[in-house]
Each structure stands twice: as structure tokens, then as C-alpha cells.
Amino acid sequence: MIPIDLADWLQQHLREGQAVNRQLHELLLQAVLQGRLAAGSKLPSSRWLAQQLGVSRNTVIDAYDNLRAQGCLDTRQGSGSYVAEVEREAPQLPPKPGRPKEAPALSKRGRLLLEQAGVSARQWGAFMPGVPDVTEFPVRTWLRLHNRRWREAQPERLSYAPGGGLPALRDALAEHLRGARSVQCTAEQIIVTSGSHQAVDLVARLLTDPGDTVWLEEPCYWGLRSTLQSLDLNLVAQAVDSEGLRWPTRPRGAMPRLVLATPSHQYPLGMVMSLARRQHLLEQCRSHGSWIVEDDYDSEFRFGTRPVASLQGLDGGDRVLYVGSFSKTLFPGLRLGYLVVPASLAPLFAKASAELYREGQLQQQATLADFIQQGHLGSHTRRMRTLYGRRREALLAAVHEQFGAQLPVLGDNAGLHLVLQLPADTDDCALETAAAAAGIAVRALSRYYSRPASVQRGLLLGYACVPEHKIGPAFQTLAGVIRQHCPHLATRKRS
Ligand SMILES: Cc1ncc(COP(=O)(O)O)c(C=O)c1O
């Protein structure tokens, strides 16, 4: 392949939403192994290729360096990089973008879903983001309440749930949300779901049609993006800045049917949406007939500042569908969450959720209602806030100890994770893989972006499920991996 063909071929196969460095390396490796790049042929200069692909030169240098380390490239002093003699695979066409080889029968939306799947097999340990300390869950209290419910089990509690969920839980939730989150609602407006994923699925199924435009924050939580992606919607990423989601001055394309936002704690970067932005968002959505899905996933955990009231409360409950979950406050495996919908939609949502999901788990829902009403949710959340606050301090101290002010930390004043920013030329996905090999679970920040042009590099570090005494040693291990991937970071001099 001559350079111009190579650049074209790469351009065609680079996919949005995935780290460019890694893709570039994989594609070049594929081209070498399949003989598309013949042994002895000269690769274009990193500067030229970077210009053609619209990526940074370091991205290309990184890919070349990786190939060189694998013995696929030879460098001739002063003359450039040449493809080395390697054992080749039988020639075969590269898979077309969007068509995984092993699953040819999948639908387009099935393929889209799986291509961008982000779910990790590991869900525990330093520094798994977003996971609460489930070992602190008050099991004895829960068992006591649960056993009592089983002793008095009524036959209808062992059947399917009524549309919207168990009335006792909807009552308890309405009261809790009015007090804790300034949500304006009655119990009838609450739809109990099996977590935020199902809540967003229900909203999208009832309020959008395939092909409708949905705005997401850039970056955003991949899990909810996948849920929407699988419904064949036109997902458009909108930038966030220090005040949260920015309504573009001159929006391009169709106006959104839905806008999915995290106003209380932008996921994953952590800023709070300003009042001015909230009002502007509500005004725009009213004038365009768009719905806002407010994902309020972890606002119970704020350190040093008071929780910010919900956007739903500001709106009065007309435009906003409010989504919450017990995945962070209790434990993710409970699979219980809720949706608060405008009063006019409430009976329709209740009916549709029963029709679609045929929910059950009423004994669990009854136990949760008691748990909330008897004050256990409040006391558990307060206790965990103190515990997580200490773990957050320990992680911040470990970062400072290792890197001083060299690596900025974002979003550390709330939630269960913080973001460690890395130099723009770092391959954070490769770092994630290397950290996993060293026994440390982190997530690359670039995975949360869908447009290569806006990608920032960093790592999401969850501190909630790591005992305080393990944070320093675990971060020390991670710091070693970070230094290998960011060699130009200065070694910190201790004062
Ligand atoms: C931004 C965001 N929203 C929602 C959730 C929770 O989803 P679910 O309630 O389905 O567990 C998560 C979990 O990590 C999250 O990060």
C-alpha cells in the first residue's frame, strides 16, 4: 500500500468512540500481518500520517513505537520506519466496521450495542469506579425487615407487581424524594424500576421513535448510552463545561426529543450544573417540546457542600423525568431504582412498565419501603458519606504524595469516584489494561467520549469500595503503571 492508500484505509476503519492510539496500532498490526503492508515497505512519516488522519503526532508515534516493540517495524537511522519480515496470517478481508465476525446474525442495533459494550467482568476492588462498599450494608436490619414481611406474606405479594410498583414503596419514595431532593411529586408519579437502565429504557420506548434525536452529555455514562443506542436513536453528544451541559448557540440537525443529563454531578467529570444553565435548559426544552431525563445517580454523597436540589423540583415536574437508583446508596445487585414522571404521564408509564417488564420482587420492594420509612436509608447514607469522605481524602493524599500537582484531579467533591487527568498524549486505554494486569481496576476517561475530537485523557478512580488502609499501597502500584505510560512525568521530589 502506498502512503495515500494507507491513510485512506486507516481513515475508513477508525471508529468513533474508541481510543485512536489503540485502534491505529491494531489496524497497522493487522495490515502488517495480513500482508497489506509488505515487508520492506516504508511507512509514511508520523507527521504526515497524523495530518492526514487529523490526530496528534504523538498518537501515530505511539502506534509506531508499539509496532516496533512487537518486532513489526525496523528503524533505519535517518531514513524512517520500514515493515519488518514477520510471520504472516493467511490474507483475509478486515471485518467491515460495525460487523463483528462472530455474530453475523445480529441486527444493526444489536451490533451497535455490542460494539460499544463497556461492561466489565470485575466489579470490586481498588479502584473500581461507581461501586459502593457493599460489605457495609446493614444485612441484619434488612434480614429482620425481610423476615417480618415473609412471615406475613400475602399471596398477591408473590405475584407480578402492579404497574408502577408496590404502593407502600411508592409512598415511601415520594416522601423521601420530596424531603431529600426537593422533587415535586406524588406517589402516583413514581414508577419503581429495576435500576436506572430500565428507567431510561422505559422513557425512550414511550417518548421516542427509532431515528429520533437524543442529546447526551459529552462525556457521559456508557451504560445509559448503550441503552439508548440499542433503541436505534440518533444520539448526539453535546459538550459540557464547568457549568455542565451547554445548549449550543446554533444547534445543528433535528431538535432533541430527549436530553439526558446529570445536573447534580456530571458523570464522569463531576461538575454541578449552574442555576442559569438549568433555567436555560428548561426554557429551551419547553420551547422545543423536548423532554429532559435527569439522572440523579449519586447526589447523596457530597463532601463539604450541601446537596444541590433536583432539576425536576425547579421545573415543577412538567418537562423532567427524574431517574434515581439504589445502586450507589445500598448495593447494585438489589436492582431497584425509580422514575418520577410528570403527572399527566404517570398512569401511562405505570401501565407500560407492567406490560413491558412484568415486574415482580414485591417482597423486596416491601422490605425496602420499611427500610426507608424506619429511617435506615437515611442513617446508612449518612454513615457511608463519612466513610467515603475519609477514603476520598486518603486517595487525594496518595495522588499528591506520588504526583504533587502534576496530575489535576476533577470531580472529587461528590460521588464515589474522582478523575485523574493525564497528559493529552497518554493512551489511557492501554494504561487501563496495564493497570488491570497489575491487579488495579480503573477506567480510561476516553471511553466515556463518543467524538474523537473532544476526547480527554485520564482515569476514573473509585474509592468507595477500597478500605482506607489499602488506598495508599494500591495507588502506589497504579502510580508505577502511570509512570511507565507517561514517561515525561517528573519523579516527585519529596519535601
Ligand atoms: C451515571 C450513572 N447513572 C446510573 C447508574 C446506575 O445504573 P443502575 O441504577 O441501572 O444500576 C450508574 C452506575 O454506575 C451511573 O454511573
Side-chain angles (χ1 to χ4, degrees), residues 268-333:
L269 296 178
M271 55 288 251
V272 174
M273 192 186 282
S274 67
L275 184 60
R277 282 282 169 82
R278 287 172 189 240
Q279 282 167 332
H280 188 60
L281 177 64
L282 286 169
E283 272 162 30
Q284 293 291 337
C285 286
R286 280 192 201 111
S287 73
H288 295 291
S290 315
W291 299 101
I292 302 165
V293 180
E294 175 177 15
D295 178 15
D296 199 20
Y297 61 100
D298 72 356
S299 53
E300 292 82 1
F301 302 112
R302 287 206 79 78
F303 310 111
T305 49
R306 279 167 53 78
V308 201
S310 67
L311 179 69
Q312 195 271 6
L314 189 65
D315 164 48
D318 267 0
R319 279 290 103 198
V320 179
L321 295 104
Y322 175 92
V323 174
S325 172
F326 290 101
S327 289
K328 314 284 184 203
T329 43
L330 298 182
F331 58 98

Side-chain angles (χ1 to χ4, degrees), residues 130 194-198 221 224 262 267 295 297 325 327-328 335:
S194 63
S196 315
H197 287 75
Q198 194 189 62
Y221 173 45
L224 297 184
T262 47
Y267 193 85
D295 178 15
Y297 61 100
S325 172
S327 289
K328 314 284 184 203
R335 299 319 293 141

Side-chain angles (χ1 to χ4, degrees), residues 113-439:
L113 172 70
L114 292 181
E115 254 175 39
Q116 312 203 349
V119 110
S120 141
R122 182 169 170 183
Q123 290 296 330
W124 187 250
F127 290 104
M128 190 68 212
V131 179
D133 192 341
V134 295
T135 65
E136 293 288 335
F137 180 69
V139 177
R140 282 157 68 125
T141 308
W142 185 268
L143 264 183
R144 183 168 49 78
L145 301 175
H146 201 239
N147 288 343
R148 213 196 75 210
R149 286 295 187 178
W150 271 104
R151 278 197 296 273
E152 60 170 45
Q154 299 148 0
E156 62 272 22
R157 291 263 174 78
L158 304 184
S159 185
Y160 295 116
L166 187 76
L169 179 56
R170 297 168 87 190
D171 284 338
L173 277 170
E175 196 184 327
H176 167 71
L177 292 173
R178 283 193 297 261
R181 306 293 305 122
S182 309
V183 170
Q184 294 187 33
C185 66
T186 61
E188 290 68 41
Q189 286 173 257
I190 305 228
I191 312 294
V192 177
T193 65
S194 63
S196 315
H197 287 75
Q198 194 189 62
V200 169
D201 183 69
L202 183 63
V203 173
R205 283 178 191 278
L206 291 187
L207 300 181
T208 65
D209 287 309
D212 277 353
T213 296
V214 175
W215 284 3
L216 303 173
E217 294 169 327
E218 172 83 331
C220 75
Y221 173 45
W222 51 266
L224 297 184
R225 180 166 60 202
S226 291
T227 300
L228 295 165
Q229 187 94 65
S230 73
L231 294 174
D232 217 358
L233 293 161
N234 172 33
L235 303 186
V236 179
Q238 297 293 357
V240 298
D241 61 19
S242 60
E243 290 184 68
L245 177 67
R246 201 153 27 90
W247 190 279
T249 333
R250 273 186 292 278
R252 279 194 269 160
M255 281 296 110
R257 264 310 268 164
L258 290 184
V259 178
L260 176 61
T262 47
S264 299
H265 187 220
Q266 202 281 330
Y267 193 85
L269 296 178
M271 55 288 251
V272 174
M273 192 186 282
S274 67
L275 184 60
R277 282 282 169 82
R278 287 172 189 240
Q279 282 167 332
H280 188 60
L281 177 64
L282 286 169
E283 272 162 30
Q284 293 291 337
C285 286
R286 280 192 201 111
S287 73
H288 295 291
S290 315
W291 299 101
I292 302 165
V293 180
E294 175 177 15
D295 178 15
D296 199 20
Y297 61 100
D298 72 356
S299 53
E300 292 82 1
F301 302 112
R302 287 206 79 78
F303 310 111
T305 49
R306 279 167 53 78
V308 201
S310 67
L311 179 69
Q312 195 271 6
L314 189 65
D315 164 48
D318 267 0
R319 279 290 103 198
V320 179
L321 295 104
Y322 175 92
V323 174
S325 172
F326 290 101
S327 289
K328 314 284 184 203
T329 43
L330 298 182
F331 58 98
L334 184 61
R335 299 319 293 141
L336 279 174
Y338 41 89
L339 175 62
V340 184
V341 301
S344 58
L345 295 177
L348 309 175
F349 269 69
K351 193 168 176 182
S353 90
E355 192 69 21
L356 264 178
Y357 311 120
R358 221 60 191 106
E359 290 286 30
Q361 304 278 10
L362 287 172
Q363 291 292 71
Q364 191 98 310
Q365 293 191 22
T367 308
L368 180 56
D370 295 343
F371 192 82
I372 299 172
Q373 260 156 358
Q374 295 179 18
H376 301 297
L377 177 65
S379 56
H380 179 61
T381 307
R382 281 192 295 279
R383 197 167 70 80
M384 297 316 281
R385 191 181 300 133
T386 308
L387 187 73
Y388 297 156
R390 285 206 303 267
R391 292 176 180 182
R392 161 189 167 265
E393 292 289 340
L395 180 54
L396 286 171
V399 172
H400 192 259
E401 156 94 358
Q402 292 291 335
F403 295 110
Q406 289 184 92
L407 298 180
V409 170
L410 303 176
D412 64 307
N413 53 6
L416 309 183
H417 76 272
L418 53 78
V419 175
L420 189 63
Q421 268 191 311
L422 295 171
D425 59 356
T426 312
D427 183 347
D428 53 1
C429 292
L431 212 165
E432 177 188 302
T433 310

